[in-house]
Amino acid sequence: MSTGASTPSSPRGSADPEYAANLRRATLASSVGSALEYYDFALYGLASALIFGELFFPALGTNAGLAAGFATFAVGFLARPFGGLLFGTLGDKLGRKGVLIATIGLMGVSTTLIGVLPTGDQIGIWAPILLVVLRVLQGLGAGAEQAGATVLMAEYAPVRRRGYFSALPFVGIMIGTIIASVVFFLLGLVDTQIVHDWLWRVPFLASILLIAVAIFIRLRLRESPAFINLEKSEQIAHNPLREAFAHSWRTLLRGIGLRMAENGGSAIYQTLAVSYITQVVAVDEWQGPLAIAIGAIIGIFVIPVAGALSDRFGRMRVYRIGSVIQLVLAFPAWWLMSTGSVWLIIPVLAITYGLGVNVMLGAQCAALPELFGNRHRYIGVAITREFSAVIAGGIAPLIGAGLLAAFSDSWVPLAGYVVLLSALTLWATIVTPETRARDLDLASDAIDDSNEDVSSRPLPTVSRREFKRNGGRG
């Protein structure tokens, strides 16, 4: 690959057949990985909300079993930072491609094995123990999977359309969520005894198909241009983890702040809200998964649009709009869901999840890699994503279950929790520097850029028609 084709900030174009082929592979590889990760995420979250308590904690009763199921959900999030630290370090030292193959394999195999686990009635205490072990392994793999996909896509994308191209793989998140939600919607239509006897296993076993496709694509993928440039210049960090904490702690805090509303909102609406309307409001079990599936369909369109808008108007401005949407909708949404009306619950949950969360996600796809310098970008994004995933997303269902118990199943504290997370992210968008079109070969973080550095960046995105007329040059 020529120098011009491999430098992230140069006007690379799809007129170069080699670059175009690798851009397509990178998009597909990242999309399939995102689909598998969020299929796993949504599948496990819905299973925790609806069936895992009875299957793996039968002796605890309904409420305690639900809390125990959510605890295993949180365990996976607690494992993710360790996976992010391990594989993120390897990604900055050895390259993005090999690590992404390892993480997708570990994550996918763990999900598949959950489908063959004996239940609590069959082997007693060993059932939840084995479930927790597999959930930990799943979390270790997931801890660097999304960070790697984010970094890889940003480093491949044309600079002035980086927001749009970086957002495309995250459509895979919505596809994985849709698949998992549709699966549980269909399970909700089947006799409960059949589902609990054996049918619940099928969705977990089916993930092996996504693993095979993802590994096949990633084996054919070339290493990212930015990492190739690091190798050529012999600038690879010997200890990217130490470098990230020593020089990028302010950037890490800003990144974690940006993730609070997006990741927390995603977990709250995909798991806690589904559990609330099923267990407290007592609607049919199929309604929650159907609402999430519709919200994910909305996200398929919202994410790339938000990414494209961030190319034109800036990452932080679009991100800020998403956090405001989620904040404003919080109290009306939870009140409407508490009514028990299927005609209100499904559209409200779908819109709240599909719009507010995904506007932020669309802007985030390019923003997080642009925040960090090249020598520690993978580990920086991994720390940002996974530490925030524990703080915001992993414990959200547990906190929600605790709030419901403490306030007699009232929806008001749950809405307040969403407002708090949204406000934290809104503040983060104000104090975080704009990163649009930043040079990804730079070793320094965006927080160190001067006003002159920012003003010298490429102009906002060209139109799609102009992009094609220029032969795909970004």
Side-chain angles (χ1 to χ4, degrees), residues 49-179:
L50 300 174
I51 62 173
F52 271 1
E54 184 172 342
L55 289 174
F56 291 95
F57 306 95
L60 297 181
T62 302
N63 292 333
L66 176 64
F70 279 150
T72 66
F73 181 78
V75 163
F77 278 89
L78 293 173
R80 288 179 66 140
F82 296 99
L85 294 176
L86 171 62
F87 291 111
T89 299
L90 294 176
D92 279 322
K93 295 182 69 174
L94 305 178
R96 323 311 192 199
K97 174 183 173 179
V99 171
L100 282 170
I101 292 173
T103 56
I104 198 76
L106 178 60
M107 186 174 60
V109 169
S110 302
T111 301
T112 302
L113 290 177
I114 289 175
V116 301
L117 281 181
T119 64
D121 286 335
Q122 294 170 322
I123 60 170
I125 189 63
W126 285 104
I129 290 175
L130 292 174
L131 179 65
V132 168
V133 169
L134 290 177
R135 180 63 175 159
V136 167
L137 294 176
Q138 188 186 61
L140 289 175
E145 166 62 32
Q146 200 60 60
T150 302
V151 169
L152 180 76
M153 201 61 237
E155 291 179 344
Y156 259 109
V159 62
R160 288 202 293 162
R161 301 198 76 208
R162 186 183 291 145
Y164 171 73
F165 276 96
S166 296
L168 290 180
F170 283 70
V171 172
I173 291 176
M174 299 299 104
I175 293 173
T177 302
I178 290 169
I179 295 173

Side-chain angles (χ1 to χ4, degrees), residues 237-425:
H238 295 294
N239 193 331
L241 176 61
R242 182 173 60 191
E243 185 175 298
F245 277 117
H247 303 295
S248 298
W249 62 270
R250 292 179 300 163
T251 305
L252 292 171
L253 289 177
R254 283 168 170 78
I256 290 172
L258 290 172
R259 288 267 293 162
M260 295 301 287
E262 176 269 322
N263 187 257
S266 178
I268 287 169
Y269 287 115
Q270 287 190 66
T271 57
L272 181 58
V274 171
S275 176
Y276 171 77
I277 63 175
T278 304
Q279 304 288 344
V280 178
V281 183
V283 301
D284 293 335
E285 288 190 354
W286 57 266
Q287 292 186 25
L290 178 61
I292 295 301
I294 296 173
I297 293 173
I298 295 172
I300 288 177
F301 300 96
V302 170
I303 291 172
V305 169
L309 290 175
S310 77
D311 282 327
R312 183 169 293 277
F313 300 108
R315 317 291 186 224
M316 293 305 112
R317 186 177 297 178
V318 175
Y319 215 125
R320 193 173 303 128
I321 291 172
S323 65
V324 170
I325 290 173
Q326 183 164 280
L327 190 153
V328 170
L329 289 179
F331 276 93
W334 282 94
W335 171 65
L336 291 170
M337 284 190 288
S338 72
T339 64
S341 169
V342 63
W343 302 107
L344 292 175
I345 287 175
I346 292 178
V348 165
L349 182 52
I351 292 172
T352 307
Y353 166 64
L355 189 60
V357 169
N358 291 313
V359 168
M360 290 183 281
L361 183 59
Q364 180 192 114
C365 300
L368 290 187
E370 289 172 332
L371 279 172
F372 293 95
N374 197 14
R375 286 165 53 90
H376 54 270
R377 178 170 298 126
Y378 198 139
I379 188 66
V381 175
I383 292 171
T384 295
R385 288 189 59 85
E386 302 316 323
F387 277 73
S388 61
V390 174
I391 299 169
I395 63 174
L398 275 177
I399 291 177
L403 290 173
L404 287 172
F407 292 91
S408 304
D409 291 338
S410 171
W411 58 269
V412 175
L414 303 181
Y417 185 28
V418 175
V419 167
L420 173 62
L421 294 177
S422 301
L424 289 172
T425 290

Side-chain angles (χ1 to χ4, degrees), residues 38-49:
Y38 275 77
Y39 173 77
D40 290 350
F41 170 82
L43 190 68
Y44 199 99
L46 289 168
S48 299

